């Protein structure tokens, strides 16, 4: 778009101030500003801002008026039922073997709170193997492919679970470089697809786009719910290819989506896939039971007649302590950002995208003053707009929830080393404790104080360990193959 037309377009949108410094800019800066503003849908930005304000006001007005109810029994189930788990697992592995399953990783975060400038997926939680979170997840995919082949009579190497990795602007290049350096951890590069989370301009409190230099708009990630728009956006390597088109080309029907910071995540979990397919769900959430009534975590529940994630601050003490007929917490379905979608549902999001209300985060946002000097405010002066990945729940037609054991599937990495909760030490502890349970369930004995790390390439979720039955392990170490267990006796 020519500069004159672009300026007029922004004037009509009420954002003409973005060209205040135009007369003083050199050609390079003018080109940079023009490119950024040409790529920006300012009408959509204005619409999102207005809708966010309306939604915020409505929420404050109706707070406490909407009935919040626990999940209905027919919408949820639990892996505590071993007979059903076997059935779900068989169905899920059949879907994997049939090439119907893809996995999608939300990996836009940096390890800043962990003392690292690298993407969080590169982080080493201190395991004996010193494998990164990315490597653990990649090797779980490799093992899942192999198990699906073995249990469905498929030739070795014939089953593929494509891995879609959503990065952010700051993590994109480092993430790709990390994967290339490590040869994609044994996966084929063609089956690892990187794409980027979107951004939105930062706004003043009255909705004006903020400049952080005379020739650049301040932007921020649009939240993990930006996933849905990013799926339809062109992948950087091809303007005609998107994640949605890639899913269609591969014949993928189901997608498992999860966050990077959970060391226990079962990537492409066949139990979850089989459960959701059996329920006919178009969207589903995996949850863990709340640790206590007062745990500060959002829960999956019903708000009115719609499924939603209800923040702990919205639930009264009476509701939080309420028990069901089995004596369990009624509002116990803790959200762990672990979801299932049909590809058909992901395609349908475009039909109701305009109804999704972004959330306002009021922040201290650096800006340029009238003289073009950068100002770093000492109190919130603007807003960032974010969409959450669970904001689509109210729009689902067939929603389901699967409750899993926290100790088996959820150990988040959130805090700096030494914090004592949700930190590298607790992640390491929980993963190695799980591996001890795998061995003991297979009939082995592990001596007190012994720590054995089992490679995901050896076992995805405790399967394939029949050969350790009756053995006693006296030495700590790593088992990267079944044969290596003998050295730990």
């Amino acid at each position: 778009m020519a500069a004159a037309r672009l300026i007029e377009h922004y004037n009509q949108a009420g954002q003409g101030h973005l060209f205040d410094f135009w007369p003083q800019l050199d050609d390079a800066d003018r080109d940079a500003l023009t490119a950024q503003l040409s790529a920006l849908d300012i009408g959509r930005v204005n619409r999102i801002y207005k809708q966010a304000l309306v939604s915020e006001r409505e929420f404050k007005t109706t707070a406490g008026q909407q009935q919040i109810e626990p999940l209905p029994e027919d919408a949820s189930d639990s892996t505590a039922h071993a007979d059903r788990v076997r059935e779900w697992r068989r169905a899920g592995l059949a879907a994997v073997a049939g090439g119907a399953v893809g996995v999608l990783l939300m990996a836009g975060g940096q390890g800043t709170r962990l003392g690292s400038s690298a993407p969080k997926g590169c982080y080493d939680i201190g395991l004996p193997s010193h494998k990164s979170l990315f490597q653990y997840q990649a090797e779980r995919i490799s093992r899942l492919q192999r198990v699906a082949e073995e249990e469905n009579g498929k030739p070795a190497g014939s089953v593929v679970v494509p891995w879609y990795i959503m990065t952010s602007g700051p993590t994109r290049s480092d993430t790709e470089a990390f994967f290339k350096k490590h040869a994609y951890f044994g996966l084929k590069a063609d089956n690892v697809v990187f794409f980027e989370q979107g951004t939105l301009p930062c706004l003043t409190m009255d909705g004006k786009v903020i400049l952080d230099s005379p020739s650049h708009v301040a932007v921020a990630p649009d939240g993990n719910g930006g996933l849905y728009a990013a799926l339809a956006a062109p992948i950087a390597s091809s303007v005609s290819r998107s994640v949605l088109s890639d899913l269609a080309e591969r014949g993928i029907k189901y997608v498992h989506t999860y966050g990077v910071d959970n060391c226990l995540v079962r990537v492409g979990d066949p139990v979850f896939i089989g459960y959701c397919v059996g329920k006919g769900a178009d969207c589903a959430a995996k949850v863990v039971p709340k640790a206590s009534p007062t745990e500060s975590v959002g829960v999956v529940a019903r708000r009115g007649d719609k499924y939603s994630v209800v923040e702990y601050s919205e639930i009264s003490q009476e509701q939080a302590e309420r028990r069901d007929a089995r004596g369990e917490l009624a509002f116990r379905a803790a959200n762990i950002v672990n979801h299932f979608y049909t590809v058909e549902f992901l395609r349908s999001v475009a039909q109701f995208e305009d109804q999704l209300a972004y959330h306002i985060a009021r922040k201290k946002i650096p800006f340029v003053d009238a003289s073009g000097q950068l100002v770093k405010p000492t109190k919130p002066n603007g807003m960032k707009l974010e969409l959450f990945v669970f904001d689509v729940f109210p729009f689902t037609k067939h929603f389901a929830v699967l409750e899993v054991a926290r100790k088996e599937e959820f150990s988040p990495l959130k805090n700096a080393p030494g914090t004592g909760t949700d930190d590298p030490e607790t992640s390491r502890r929980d993963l190695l404790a799980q591996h001890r349970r795998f061995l003991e369930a297979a009939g082995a004995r592990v001596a007190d104080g012994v720590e054995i790390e089992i490679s995901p390439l050896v076992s995805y979720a405790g399967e394939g360990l029949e050969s350790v039955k009756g053995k006693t392990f006296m030495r700590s170490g790593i088992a990267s193959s079944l044969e290596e267990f003998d050295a730990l006796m």
Side-chain angles (χ1 to χ4, degrees):
M1 189 182 297
R5 288 173 54 204
L6 190 65
I7 292 171
E8 178 58 26
H9 176 61
Y10 272 81
N11 281 331
Q12 290 177 357
Q15 302 282 3
H17 66 284
L18 296 173
F19 293 90
D20 283 352
F21 300 101
W22 187 261
Q24 299 112 279
L25 299 180
D26 59 26
D27 288 344
D29 284 343
R30 285 186 176 187
D31 288 345
L33 182 61
T34 299
Q36 189 183 21
L37 295 183
S38 294
L40 183 62
D41 185 346
I42 193 61
R44 176 174 177 264
V45 172
N46 286 344
R47 183 174 66 251
I48 288 173
Y49 163 73
K50 291 175 183 176
Q51 191 171 8
L53 285 182
V54 170
S55 177
E56 186 180 62
R57 283 196 295 266
E58 287 179 350
F59 183 80
K60 289 178 179 178
T61 301
T62 60
Q65 296 179 18
Q66 261 190 328
Q67 192 74 15
I68 296 175
E69 292 292 343
L71 293 169
E73 286 194 15
D74 62 355
S76 62
D77 214 319
S78 169
T79 54
H81 305 118
D83 54 338
R84 296 179 194 171
V85 169
R86 286 190 290 270
E87 178 185 331
W88 296 333
R89 182 177 179 273
R90 281 194 299 269
L93 286 174
V96 172
V101 176
V103 293
L104 195 157
L105 166 62
M106 293 178 287
Q110 292 175 291
T112 309
R113 288 169 66 181
L114 303 171
S116 169
S117 59
K120 189 181 279 191
C122 302
Y123 197 79
D124 168 11
I125 60 173
L127 292 169
S129 67
H130 294 289
K131 291 178 180 178
S132 65
L133 293 172
F134 280 143
Q135 182 166 355
Y136 245 78
Q137 293 163 26
E139 291 183 353
R140 285 185 180 133
I141 292 173
S142 292
R143 176 63 184 170
L144 174 62
Q145 293 172 162
R146 185 64 181 148
V147 171
E149 290 165 355
E150 292 172 348
E151 298 202 15
N152 288 276
K154 294 280 187 176
S158 65
V159 171
V160 172
V161 178
W163 196 11
Y164 300 89
I165 300 176
M166 186 175 76
T167 67
S168 62
T171 65
R172 176 67 179 266
S173 60
D174 287 346
T175 300
E176 291 197 45
F178 191 73
F179 272 75
K180 289 175 182 175
K181 176 183 177 181
H182 294 280
Y184 295 85
F185 307 105
L187 299 174
K188 291 184 178 178
D190 289 347
N191 297 325
V192 181
V193 180
F194 299 98
F195 67 109
E196 198 166 309
Q197 177 181 359
T199 61
L200 282 171
C202 301
L203 306 175
T204 63
M205 298 301 187
D206 58 356
K208 298 298 182 182
V209 175
I210 293 174
L211 288 170
D212 57 12
S213 85
S215 61
H216 188 266
V217 168
V219 297
D222 55 3
N224 57 17
L227 159 71
Y228 304 107
L231 293 178
I235 295 174
S237 58
S238 172
V239 294
S240 62
R241 179 171 168 244
S242 68
V243 171
L244 287 177
S245 70
D246 192 83
L247 289 165
E249 289 171 14
R250 294 175 186 266
I252 303 298
K253 296 180 180 179
Y254 315 114
V255 175
H256 178 219
T257 300
Y258 65 97
V260 72
D261 60 359
N262 176 14
C263 70
L264 296 181
V265 65
R266 295 188 177 178
V267 185
D269 180 15
V271 173
F272 189 34
I273 299 293
Y275 165 73
C276 294
V277 172
K279 290 284 287 187
D282 52 15
C283 177
K286 183 184 284 192
V287 301
V288 298
K290 283 183 69 173
S292 70
T294 56
E295 184 182 10
S296 300
V297 61
V299 295
V300 182
R302 296 265 288 187
R303 194 193 301 273
D305 62 348
K306 302 291 185 182
Y307 292 97
S308 180
V309 171
V310 179
E311 296 301 332
Y312 63 91
S313 57
E314 300 177 62
I315 297 177
S316 67
Q317 182 177 344
E318 180 182 357
Q319 288 173 315
E321 295 177 350
R322 179 174 155 190
R323 302 276 174 172
D324 62 18
R326 296 185 298 273
E328 298 175 318
L329 293 174
F331 291 94
R332 68 177 180 276
N335 174 44
I336 59 172
V337 195
N338 193 311
H339 303 142
F340 163 94
Y341 306 95
T342 63
V343 172
E344 184 179 357
F345 176 78
L346 290 174
R347 288 187 173 281
S348 75
V349 173
Q351 300 171 17
F352 56 80
E353 184 183 14
D354 287 352
Q355 300 175 56
L356 295 172
Y358 281 70
H359 307 269
I360 298 172
R362 291 173 174 82
K363 302 284 186 178
K364 293 179 284 189
I365 301 169
F367 65 97
V368 290
D369 62 17
S371 64
Q373 298 300 307
L374 184 65
V375 177
K376 295 183 178 180
T378 56
K379 60 182 181 179
N381 63 310
M383 57 180 70
K384 298 178 180 180
L385 300 174
E386 299 177 320
L387 196 66
F388 299 147
V389 70
F390 52 75
D391 283 333
V392 301
F393 287 2
F395 296 89
T396 58
K397 295 178 181 177
H398 304 287
F399 189 74
V401 174
L402 182 64
E403 183 179 281
V404 300
R406 183 185 291 243
K407 69 178 182 179
E408 299 297 346
E409 300 203 36
F410 187 57
S411 180
L413 178 61
K414 302 288 186 185
N415 301 319
T419 304
T421 57
D422 298 343
D423 64 10
E425 291 84 5
T426 59
S427 292
R428 179 188 189 280
R429 176 202 68 197
D430 293 346
L431 189 56
L432 293 178
Q434 181 184 66
H435 291 183
R436 171 183 283 267
R437 290 194 297 273
F438 286 171
L439 292 170
E440 292 174 343
R445 177 179 173 272
V446 183
D448 291 345
V450 169
E451 294 181 329
I452 296 177
E453 179 185 353
I454 305 171
S455 167
L457 296 172
V458 173
S459 183
Y460 175 89
E463 81 296 326
L465 300 176
E466 293 81 6
S467 62
V468 305
K469 185 175 181 180
K471 295 181 178 180
T472 297
F473 295 105
M474 304 298 294
R475 298 176 60 190
S476 297
I478 306 165
S480 297
S481 67
L482 290 173
E483 294 74 20
E484 290 183 10
F485 279 114
D486 291 340
L488 303 177
M489 294 175 61

